[in-house]
Amino acid sequence: MFRTLSVSAMVVAGLAFASSAAMAGPKVVSGPGANPACFKPWNDKTKYLQWDKKAGPYRVAIVNGFVGNTWRIQMIKTAKAYAEQAGVKEKIKEFKVISTGTDVAAQLGAMEDFINQGYDAIVTIAVSPEGFDRVIRLADKNNVVVVPFDNVLDTDKVMMVNEDQLEMGKMYGRWLREQLGAKKTGKILEVRGLPGNSVDRDRHVGFQEVMKKDANFEIIEVVGNWDDGTAQKVTADAIAAHGKFEGIIVQGGSTGVVRAMIDGKHPWVPIAGESENGFRKLLAQHGKDGLKGISIGQSPGLVAIAMKAALSALEGNPMPQLISVPIPASTYTELKDGVNYWSNLTDNFFTVNEFKPCDTNITATEIMAKDEKNTN
């Protein structure tokens, strides 16, 4: 009889422990959250999450995936620079960076390893918007804050930081439609990003939605991987195969696309692109010749806001589950050397790295002093 009761008690205790473990992780709480000017909720339906407060300083890891383009390289450099800024470095006991490539399993394995090592927060650009449930459960069980940014996840179980990628695609489309005036037919070149990512998907959907509304454009899609060299090649191939385009949109690798236009002697047409310094230099140089463009910034500095959000969550502050960062944009008529582009910096430098509402600015000098190598 005693043995039966003991076994029953053990079963009940085990169930209680399992239930407790399942309930680990952030609580859903009421807003507003910490520093709402910086950590702005995506919309009025965004919920708020709160993790148990931990004593600092903290162990923080960046788990990047793909690192084969200049945006990702600058992002890693920015993360390293931000971790050393005054007011940040005092909060970080150990900081590691790793890039795992485009294999989802490799990225999941790296995140699990950091969780099992006892890290407090993991900031990541997800290789895929799906497949992270296992890691999220492990993080919740160990009270680890996971913050995807840029390429985010199709879930509301973790805090995420991003610009509205769907809206960015619509911005590309609206500006291009405005430049084309009454024209509603012709070929448009769409240079897409890295396949399988939520950023590429959402920008594409937003752009196509605007361009296909009451118009009949033939949109030629090519894959540029957000990389200047790749984008230049596929644009050159597209020009050779399809002839003249009425307009171009490029998610990343904008400098390479303009160079392909020059090399292929393609007439200047409106181009909506990213915030690469080289693209803005070319717009400033050739604007008087007829090159019209808009440069819309998805800043590598998003990593700093994601890190700032992770540290705030570790301090026990309520945080929006999805944090919205404004989308900066400059047209060819608004470019000023030393203000929103730099003639003395490399083409592959991304120009938007200051977030005034967050009191965060990572200078070009700080960023360029770092490298993109793994530190684990």
Side-chain angles (χ1 to χ4, degrees):
M1 179 68 173
F2 177 78
R3 179 176 174 82
T4 302
L5 287 172
S6 297
V7 172
S8 299
M10 289 173 64
V11 171
V12 171
L15 289 172
F17 176 81
S19 176
S20 175
M23 293 176 64
K27 302 183 293 289
V28 177
V29 297
S30 300
N35 195 355
C38 176
F39 305 129
K40 181 182 177 182
W42 198 261
N43 55 43
D44 57 6
K45 296 180 180 179
T46 301
K47 65 182 180 181
Y48 289 81
L49 303 177
Q50 186 173 28
W51 285 259
D52 291 339
K53 183 178 181 178
K54 286 187 176 183
Y58 307 108
R59 302 175 73 195
V60 179
I62 306 291
V63 180
N64 178 47
F66 180 72
V67 74
N69 61 39
T70 54
W71 194 98
R72 293 294 183 99
I73 291 170
Q74 185 173 325
M75 179 276 295
I76 294 171
K77 292 180 178 182
T78 302
K80 292 180 177 180
Y82 182 68
E84 294 181 2
Q85 286 192 340
V88 180
K89 64 180 179 180
E90 295 85 357
K91 297 181 179 183
I92 298 179
K93 175 170 60 177
E94 189 174 358
F95 183 67
K96 298 290 185 182
V97 175
I98 184 170
S99 295
T100 60
T102 57
D103 182 21
V104 177
Q107 188 173 50
L108 293 174
M111 294 175 72
E112 289 175 338
D113 187 43
F114 280 121
I115 293 170
N116 291 329
Q117 288 182 49
Y119 274 71
D120 300 297
I122 298 173
V123 175
T124 184
I125 296 185
V127 170
S128 167
E130 301 174 337
F132 285 73
D133 293 349
R134 182 184 79 199
V135 165
I136 294 170
R137 287 194 296 268
L138 183 63
D140 286 349
K141 181 179 178 181
N142 290 275
N143 289 309
V144 176
V145 177
V146 174
V147 187
F149 74 100
D150 185 51
N151 287 329
V152 294
L153 303 176
D154 290 338
T155 181
D156 63 354
K157 304 300 183 185
V158 294
M159 176 173 61
M160 300 190 286
V161 174
N162 209 3
E163 295 174 4
D164 188 336
Q165 304 301 321
L166 185 70
E167 174 59 22
M168 189 178 293
K170 291 179 179 179
M171 288 172 68
Y172 287 141
R174 286 195 294 265
W175 185 85
L176 203 56
R177 288 290 301 268
E178 179 182 312
Q179 297 303 309
L180 294 173
K183 188 172 295 185
K184 293 188 178 183
T185 60
K187 295 177 182 177
I188 305 293
L189 180 62
E190 180 185 6
V191 183
R192 297 189 59 174
L194 193 67
N197 286 274
S198 61
V199 168
D200 171 70
R201 176 197 65 195
D202 293 349
R203 290 186 188 181
H204 167 72
V205 169
F207 170 70
Q208 293 263 342
E209 179 182 320
V210 171
M211 293 305 293
K212 290 183 177 180
K213 185 178 181 181
D214 59 41
N216 192 31
F217 293 108
E218 181 185 358
I219 300 176
I220 308 299
E221 297 179 35
V222 295
V223 176
N225 288 340
W226 301 320
D227 173 69
D228 271 335
T230 306
Q232 182 169 351
K233 182 183 184 306
V234 296
T235 300
D237 292 344
I239 291 172
H242 297 279
K244 182 177 180 294
F245 293 98
E246 302 297 332
I248 300 175
I249 170 262
V250 49
Q251 291 192 20
S254 315
T255 311
V257 170
V258 177
R259 286 177 178 153
M261 293 172 68
I262 295 171
D263 292 344
K265 296 181 172 52
H266 193 287
W268 293 129
V269 295
I271 177 169
E274 249 282 1
S275 62
E276 302 100 330
N277 195 48
F279 178 46
R280 292 190 175 192
K281 286 195 286 186
L282 287 167
L283 287 177
Q285 178 182 351
H286 295 289
K288 63 182 182 299
D289 304 324
L291 177 59
K292 298 180 180 181
I294 187 170
S295 174
I296 303 176
Q298 171 83 345
S299 172
L302 280 174
V303 68
I305 307 306
M307 290 167 64
K308 188 180 184 77
L311 294 171
S312 180
L314 289 169
E315 292 169 343
N317 296 311
M319 301 292 293
Q321 182 270 317
L322 186 54
I323 294 170
S324 174
V325 178
I327 304 172
S330 296
T331 67
Y332 68 105
T333 62
E334 299 168 330
L335 297 175
K336 295 181 180 179
D337 195 2
V339 176
N340 50 16
Y341 82 96
W342 288 265
S343 58
N344 63 333
L345 292 181
T346 61
D347 287 352
N348 57 18
F349 183 78
F350 283 79
T351 56
V352 184
N353 295 289
E354 182 178 13
F355 303 87
K356 291 182 179 179
C358 297
D359 192 26
T360 298
N361 184 25
I362 311 95
T363 67
T365 302
E366 291 176 285
I367 294 168
M368 300 306 279
K370 301 301 178 184
D371 60 44
E372 68 276 20
K373 294 179 181 178
N374 288 351
T375 60
N376 71 320

